[in-house]
Structures are given as structure tokens and as C-alpha cells.
Amino acid sequence: MPADQPFARHDGTVILLMLLIGLLATPGLIFYGVRGLLRAKAAASRAAALVAASALAWAMTIGLYVWGLLYLFMADDYSEARACDAALDGRVVGYSPSFVPLRFGCLGPDGRTASVVVPSYVNPVLAVLVVCAVTLTVFAIVRSKERTT
């Protein structure tokens, strides 16, 4: 957090762009994953099933991130200030916004940061989904390389 802007917020343009990309990518990955699973079942291909499962895991990950972004997009200055005041008993000295992890943090005078606006379940579930998506992607890549050699 820069000292000259203690109450900095997320850039609205960046949020809007990320929302647009996420809202386009999520249904596309879902379609790709479901179609891939149907084809993998018909062909009895484990490699194709891994690729499809990987696409669906990424779709869930991106979809949940977009869900959290929507909370940030819908929050205005007033709702953020009220949430910060409630979390820190009115002793807010600044904001600490972050895209990774996705949060809107309120800084207290004692150095404590309270995360508000974005639901508390978003970041832990995102962490699990990212691990699953990366793992499935690695398995799919390894499996596809095994088949080509």
C-alpha cells in the first residue's frame, strides 16, 4: 500500500476486464470439458478424460474467482467503508486490496488486516481448486506424452 494512497481500491477497469474474460472462459471450458468427457467415454480414453476433467476443474476455478470478483465489482465506497468500520470497530487507517488472494482488506491501527466484501470461503476453495486443476493438467500432459512415445 503506498503511503500517499492509504485508501486505495481495486482498479475498476481491471475488475471489469477480468470479469469479461472469466464470464467468457467459464462457459467455454465447461462446454469443452463436457464434450471431452462424452467423447472420452465413447472412445474409452483415459487421456481424453483427464484433459476433459482438467478443463472442468479450470472452469470451476475461474468461475469461483469471477464470483468473488462480482462481490468486489458490486461493492461501492459506502458499503466497503461500512464493512471496514464493522470489522475494525471504526478504527480504519487504510485499505489493502489484492487480486491474489482475492480480497479487500481493511487496515487497523495495530497493523491487523480484516478481509471484507469477498466471502471468506472464496480463497480457501480457490486454493483447493487451483491445486486440483494444476494436478489434473500435469497428469493430462504426462499421459498424452506417454501415448505419443
Side-chain angles (χ1 to χ4, degrees):
M1 171 187 68
D4 61 336
Q5 293 181 329
F7 292 96
R9 300 183 65 223
H10 289 92
D11 185 8
T13 307
V14 173
I15 290 177
L16 197 56
L17 183 63
M18 291 172 77
L19 279 173
L20 179 64
I21 292 169
L23 289 173
L24 292 174
T26 302
L29 285 168
I30 290 171
F31 177 75
Y32 178 79
V34 169
R35 190 182 76 192
L37 282 177
L38 293 174
R39 287 183 177 177
K41 182 180 178 188
S45 169
R46 288 187 181 167
L50 277 172
V51 170
S54 171
L56 290 172
W58 283 113
M60 289 188 296
T61 304
I62 293 169
L64 183 60
Y65 192 83
V66 166
W67 179 255
L69 279 175
L70 282 171
Y71 277 91
L72 290 175
F73 183 71
M74 297 305 240
D76 59 357
D77 290 338
Y78 181 70
S79 63
E80 290 170 351
R82 285 190 58 206
C84 284
D85 284 343
L88 295 174
D89 299 325
R91 299 176 297 131
V92 180
V93 295
Y95 297 149
S96 176
S98 171
F99 281 109
V100 178
L102 188 61
R103 71 185 180 118
F104 184 82
C106 308
L107 298 174
D110 56 354
R112 185 173 68 116
T113 302
S115 185
V116 296
V117 179
V118 177
S120 61
Y121 63 84
V122 169
N123 287 316
V125 174
L126 271 174
V128 171
L129 286 173
V130 165
V131 168
C132 291
V134 168
T135 303
L136 283 169
T137 302
V138 168
F139 284 155
I141 290 170
V142 168
R143 179 75 176 173
S144 67
K145 289 190 182 219
E146 285 176 357
R147 292 191 70 201
T148 59
T149 57

